[in-house]
Amino acid sequence: MDTRRLSRFSVATFVAVGLLISGCSPDSSSPEASPSDSATGSGAGPASVDQAALRKFYEQKLRWRECGTAGFQCATMKAPLDYAKPDGAEIDLAVARKKATGPGKRLGSLLVNPGGPGGSAIAYLQSYAGIGYPAPVRAQYDMAAIDPRGVAGSEPVTCLSGKEMDAYTQVDQTPDDQAETKELAAAFKTFAEGCQKRSGTVLPHVSTVEAARDMDIFRAALGDEKLSYVGASYGTFLGATYAEMFPRRTGRLVLDGAMDPSLPAVELNRDQTAGFETAFQSFARDCVKQADCPLGTTSAADASNRMKAFFKTLDAKPVPAGDGRRLGESLATTGVIAAMYDESAWPQLREAVAGAMRGDGAALLALADSYYERDSEGSYANLMYANSAVNCLDLPPAFDSPEAVTKALPSFEKASPVFGTGLAWASLNCAYWPAKATGSPHRIEAEGAAPIVVVGTTRDPATPYKWARSLASQLSSGTLLTYDGDGHTAYGRGSDCIDTAINTYLLEGTPPADGKKCS
């Protein structure tokens, strides 16, 4: 499953199709010590971790250097590749920070994560959070980020060449017969085999539980007694996992665009499918009011039917999209989904769909390329590779065979007449994964943690609003903040009500009243 923000940042906040979730374990009483590992969730990682062996990681001194934009510093942090064998192989993790600008009392470090899994937290820090978060927040916090293991600067998972990835993204994800079904399954197998071949050593060790452990080492290296954190989309699951593992080290946590860790993969995928349908219907209602709407001007239902019909047309006959490339149904669907993450992309989508209907698929293909993080030279960032690698460890697969998908198709098509078939088949990706899942669905309560603010957007396409309600109710100290609006996530999207509530919490420690609603 995918959960990513398109327009405002180059870094995605997204959860990929086939999204999964892991278990975790509680912390020890000393904030500076290494974690206690009495596991509370299935697949939480090693039941016993050698505390003495972890101490060297907790006590390491980071060597900061200037990097990227002026004012940002970067370093390399060491962590065990396998927390069950902390004296064994190590992994190098990229970390970064931007010191508090002042004036005002310094409140420590504020870690940020844009989601994914697979989004680079450092790129997000340098391109947005470190320069675009509200000035009072940046004045009092050192803004900090760690690329999770397997992502971007932290020993990134790689799977396919650019040409291989081009072919993979074009495979028909709405198979019409047995031959097309076999072709799709073969594509998933080829992808998984490529990941194993190129990244087999790190592949079993990129779970969310391990990333949360890494965050605690980073907290200690920064000199903070407690972790303060803003996580978007998948970053909410990472933050909630940290709170479950280390509740007494949990400071001010904002979980924006929340995921529900209690659901199995098939329910998560079906819920997200419904979320994209909700977002598309909102787009369609707006589109038919616009003079340039390529889907008609009568009703949202008519717009949906025209969209589905156009996808079928592209399935039968892709259109040219420039540079020798063609736009078929799979890439067109991806382009439309990409624009669902932020309503400011709706005019761009109208223009792109209109162009594709005239036989020029370049603009819609560009939206798909942005989603996959493909550059003009045909190279891909590791976002999609890391996304599958983390998701397929965090939960057992949604489906274990094409036959299982076929059985579930009616429920997915009911959830979304526009996207249901394709998203159901996309949920087959983890069935062929070479590393066995280590996590399982479970409630996260994080008993003993400080107040945690959970933010939900009512028409969020990628993390449906009901997930935020569920997570807030699970967390023993959770409080729900609602944004009545469109798009993925809420903080920094233009609602003064949301921003003021979150800023007040981060700066003063006072969470909004549970159930507060903004528009």
Side-chain angles (χ1 to χ4, degrees):
M1 218 169 351
D2 286 304
T3 62
R4 106 168 119 169
R5 179 180 306 163
L6 177 71
S7 304
R8 285 195 303 131
F9 323 122
S10 59
V11 179
T13 61
F14 99 120
V15 179
V17 174
L19 172 132
L20 319 165
I21 297 190
S22 7
C24 20
S25 53
D27 65 340
S28 69
S29 58
S30 170
E32 290 79 22
S34 57
S36 166
D37 293 281
S38 174
T40 60
S42 174
S48 177
V49 172
D50 186 336
Q51 306 293 314
L54 282 180
R55 189 167 298 280
K56 66 180 180 181
F57 299 106
Y58 274 81
E59 295 179 349
Q60 66 184 294
K61 303 298 181 184
L62 300 180
R63 300 178 62 181
W64 294 102
R65 64 187 185 280
E66 295 297 319
C67 65
T69 309
F72 289 92
Q73 296 176 310
C74 295
T76 299
M77 189 185 85
K78 298 284 187 181
L81 174 65
D82 184 350
Y83 275 91
K85 301 175 182 177
D87 284 324
E90 298 179 352
I91 188 170
D92 290 334
L93 304 174
V95 298
R97 70 180 181 185
K98 186 171 187 277
K99 299 288 282 184
T101 58
K105 178 184 176 183
R106 183 182 175 278
L107 296 174
S109 304
L110 180 65
L111 269 67
V112 295
N113 183 282
S120 169
I122 291 177
Y124 176 74
L125 175 73
Q126 294 183 334
S127 66
Y128 178 69
I131 56 177
Y133 266 33
V137 173
R138 291 183 286 113
Q140 294 184 250
Y141 282 100
D142 291 348
M143 302 296 295
I146 175 172
D147 277 349
R149 51 179 58 209
V151 174
S154 295
E155 303 202 13
V157 171
T158 59
C159 301
L160 303 176
S161 68
K163 288 185 178 181
E164 289 170 336
M165 190 64 179
D166 275 348
Y168 177 76
T169 61
Q170 295 177 69
V171 173
D172 187 353
Q173 291 201 355
T174 57
D176 299 313
D177 52 37
Q178 192 63 29
E180 289 186 350
T181 300
K182 287 182 178 180
E183 182 183 4
L184 179 58
F188 287 139
K189 291 176 184 177
T190 297
F191 185 95
E193 289 166 357
C195 297
Q196 177 64 24
K197 179 180 178 181
R198 292 172 172 86
S199 301
T201 299
V202 74
L203 218 55
H205 301 293
V206 295
S207 71
T208 297
V209 165
E210 290 160 305
R213 291 188 184 278
D214 296 337
M215 284 207 305
D216 197 53
I217 291 176
F218 188 34
R219 171 202 60 77
L222 289 168
D224 292 323
E225 182 175 326
K226 294 191 175 185
L227 179 94
S228 291
Y229 172 86
V230 177
S233 198
Y234 160 79
T236 67
F237 176 52
L238 179 58
T241 298
Y242 181 91
E244 184 181 30
M245 297 176 74
F246 311 108
R248 288 180 291 279
R249 301 179 203 174
T250 297
R252 300 170 187 178
L253 262 63
V254 177
L255 308 180
D256 184 11
M259 288 173 52
D260 183 351
S262 70
L263 299 177
V266 65
E267 290 188 37
L268 287 166
N269 289 356
R270 191 162 43 226
D271 281 354
Q272 193 184 61
T273 298
F276 280 113
E277 181 69 22
T278 296
F280 182 81
Q281 291 303 316
S282 189
F283 161 75
R285 286 191 296 271
D286 177 77
C287 185
V288 297
K289 298 175 183 176
Q290 311 300 325
D292 63 344
C293 181
L295 302 174
T297 57
T298 55
S299 68
D302 183 51
S304 296
N305 290 333
R306 292 190 183 206
M307 191 78 259
K308 288 191 294 180
F310 183 56
F311 285 156
K312 287 184 179 180
T313 298
L314 292 175
D315 187 25
K317 187 177 181 181
V319 298
D323 295 327
R325 302 174 69 198
R326 300 185 72 79
L327 178 79
E329 181 187 19
S330 291
L331 285 169
T333 302
T334 300
V336 173
I337 283 176
M340 294 298 99
Y341 284 86
D342 192 327
E343 66 273 25
S344 68
W346 291 356
Q348 182 183 358
L349 178 60
R350 293 197 303 269
E351 183 178 350
V353 171
M357 287 180 167
R358 294 193 300 268
D360 180 1
L364 195 51
L365 182 61
L367 281 169
D369 284 349
S370 72
Y371 183 87
Y372 285 121
E373 292 197 354
R374 179 193 191 274
D375 66 23
S376 60
E377 303 299 318
S379 296
Y380 289 78
N382 99 300
L383 171 68
M384 300 307 298
Y385 309 139
N387 186 276
S388 292
V390 176
N391 283 335
C392 294
L393 276 187
D394 276 353
L395 277 187
F399 301 114
D400 59 7
S401 67
E403 291 74 21
V405 179
T406 300
K407 282 186 178 181
L409 276 175
S411 66
F412 274 75
E413 290 167 347
K414 181 180 179 181
S416 174
V418 178
F419 305 115
T421 302
L423 292 181
W425 282 106
S427 303
L428 183 62
N429 67 331
C430 289
Y432 309 104
W433 202 249
K436 185 178 180 180
T438 56
S440 63
H442 69 285
R443 289 173 57 86
I444 289 183
E445 298 179 1
E447 187 71 38
I452 298 172
V453 176
V454 179
V455 189
T457 297
T458 55
R459 293 181 294 282
D460 191 312
T463 50
Y465 177 61
K466 69 177 185 177
W467 290 359
R469 292 202 313 263
S470 178
L471 179 59
S473 69
Q474 292 172 42
L475 291 166
S476 62
S477 60
T479 181
L480 178 64
L481 175 62
T482 297
Y483 174 56
D484 183 7
D486 297 292
H488 184 38
T489 73
Y491 188 39
R493 290 179 55 84
S495 168
D496 289 339
C497 175
I498 289 288
D499 292 353
T500 298
I502 293 175
N503 292 343
T504 298
Y505 169 66
L506 290 174
L507 295 172
E508 300 176 13
T510 304
D514 187 29
K516 180 179 176 64
K517 294 184 178 181
C518 299
S519 58

